[in-house]
Amino acid sequence: MATLLRKIGLIRLHNRDTEDPKHHHNHRAGGGGGGPQSAALRGKGGAKSGGHKPPQQPHPAGGAGDASPGPGKGKGKRAAELAPRDKAPPPPAGAAGAPGAGGPRERAPGARAGPGPAAAAAAAAGGSLVPAARQQHCAQVRSRRLMKELRDIARLSDRFISVELVDESLFDWNVKLHQVDKDSVLWQDMKETNTEFILLNLTFPDNFPFSPPFMRVLSPRLENGYVLDGGAICMELLTPRGWSSAYTVEAVMRQFAASLVKGQGRICRKAGKSKKSFSRKEAEATFKSLVKTHEKYGWVTPPVSDG
């Protein structure tokens, strides 16, 4: 009886396992028999025989290779990523230097590079700025120097000279010489003709005090005393060669007063000629002529005892 019951139990267990859906599912997944282990064995065998290949991953755009490179491919991928960074971007169409844009051609080895349009424009701008700044500096130096000269002349105690600005211009002066040597014939002429002063005109160039002023006699009409046609004055210190920036207007006027006496200057009293005024154009022409003459033959320096 016990043996019969055991047989019946085994039969029922066999029927239950046969009817279980999980049993049928595992049976189909295993290829009909053998269980999971047999399926794994069959997978390894298929991989070795090459009969079943895994699906390949699609390549990324640009052909950079597999998503997970094997040994030896990492360096190539890194170089491919860095290469576009090292290369300069191509010039836009129509830009200077772009192919077919009419830009500058490549320079041959050993050839010198000339200034480009931007450099030439900067050089031209810089060249125009330098003279402008220099002119402004010279104007400031000239103005400061002449203002000082005016203050010094106004403080003179002997009233040797006085100054009037022509049309309120700081660079154009009318200077009155009130005194000369009282023992001279010129001083006697001034007393006899009731001439209170000798009037001169001084114009100061842009680069004064580094260049001399142009000085000429206006009135009265003088003869001799190194006063020439047009009222030009023959004095070496009034030329670029004999001038020094240390000379003041007062010093120049004292030298002129001494040269008048030394050269026996007189007031012209001839009828008709005494009333003829000097002209600036004639004075400038005469002064240029005498400068050329003295540059050729030299200047005669008077003795120290003559002042």
Side-chain angles (χ1 to χ4, degrees), residues 144-161:
R144 288 195 297 265
R145 174 64 179 269
L146 292 177
M147 291 297 294
K148 183 180 183 300
E149 295 273 2
L150 286 174
R151 290 192 297 268
D152 293 343
I153 293 173
R155 287 195 292 262
L156 291 177
S157 58
D158 58 355
R159 198 173 176 267
F160 173 65
I161 57 175

Side-chain angles (χ1 to χ4, degrees), residues 226 228 234-236 239 241 287-300:
Y226 303 105
L228 307 179
C234 182
M235 288 175 59
E236 185 180 9
T239 65
R241 181 178 179 180
F287 185 75
K288 290 179 180 179
S289 177
L290 71 89
V291 168
K292 289 181 179 180
T293 300
H294 284 291
E295 285 180 350
K296 184 176 181 179
Y297 297 102
W299 292 81
V300 178

Side-chain angles (χ1 to χ4, degrees), residues 5-290:
L5 291 176
R6 281 196 298 269
K7 290 182 179 180
I8 294 173
L10 291 175
I11 293 171
R12 289 181 178 177
L13 289 174
H14 176 72
N15 294 337
R16 185 184 62 185
D17 294 338
T18 305
E19 295 174 359
D20 190 359
K22 294 181 179 180
H23 174 77
H24 293 286
H25 174 75
N26 293 335
H27 181 74
R28 286 193 303 270
Q37 294 181 356
S38 61
L41 291 176
R42 284 196 303 272
K44 291 182 180 181
K48 290 181 180 181
S49 61
H52 177 72
K53 295 183 180 179
Q56 296 181 355
Q57 296 292 336
H59 294 292
D66 297 338
S68 58
K73 296 184 179 181
K75 295 183 179 180
K77 179 181 179 181
R78 183 63 178 174
E81 291 177 356
L82 293 178
R85 301 180 185 176
D86 298 335
K87 294 182 180 180
R105 299 179 179 177
E106 292 185 359
R107 192 167 63 252
R112 295 184 178 180
S128 62
L129 289 177
V130 171
R134 184 175 181 180
Q135 290 177 0
Q136 184 178 3
H137 175 71
C138 290
Q140 293 176 354
V141 172
R142 178 175 62 158
S143 299
R144 288 195 297 265
R145 174 64 179 269
L146 292 177
M147 291 297 294
K148 183 180 183 300
E149 295 273 2
L150 286 174
R151 290 192 297 268
D152 293 343
I153 293 173
R155 287 195 292 262
L156 291 177
S157 58
D158 58 355
R159 198 173 176 267
F160 173 65
I161 57 175
S162 60
V163 176
E164 294 179 355
L165 302 182
V166 179
D167 297 330
E168 302 299 327
S169 174
L170 183 61
F171 314 120
D172 193 356
W173 293 8
N174 280 343
V175 181
K176 296 178 181 180
L177 176 62
H178 298 281
Q179 299 177 17
V180 294
D181 188 357
K182 294 181 179 180
D183 296 331
S184 65
V185 292
L186 179 59
W187 179 255
Q188 296 300 321
D189 287 348
M190 292 178 67
K191 291 297 183 182
E192 294 174 3
T193 58
N194 296 324
T195 303
E196 297 181 359
F197 52 82
I198 297 174
L199 183 64
L200 300 97
N201 177 258
L202 280 75
T203 54
F204 301 92
D206 294 339
N207 55 346
F208 178 85
F210 307 106
S211 293
F214 178 69
M215 187 169 79
R216 64 190 181 100
V217 177
L218 296 181
S219 65
R221 191 175 184 89
L222 300 177
E223 295 177 335
N224 303 324
Y226 303 105
V227 177
L228 307 179
D229 295 342
I233 301 170
C234 182
M235 288 175 59
E236 185 180 9
L237 64 83
L238 292 177
T239 65
R241 181 178 179 180
W243 175 257
S244 171
S245 59
Y247 292 153
T248 63
V249 174
E250 178 191 356
V252 172
M253 294 302 299
R254 291 190 184 276
Q255 181 66 28
F256 170 68
S259 67
L260 281 176
V261 175
K262 172 65 180 177
Q264 300 294 318
R266 302 291 299 271
I267 294 177
C268 182
R269 301 187 185 185
K270 295 179 181 180
K273 189 176 182 180
S274 60
K275 295 183 179 180
K276 185 179 179 181
S277 60
F278 291 129
S279 69
R280 181 183 180 89
K281 184 177 180 180
E282 186 179 7
E284 290 177 345
T286 302
F287 185 75
K288 290 179 180 179
S289 177
L290 71 89

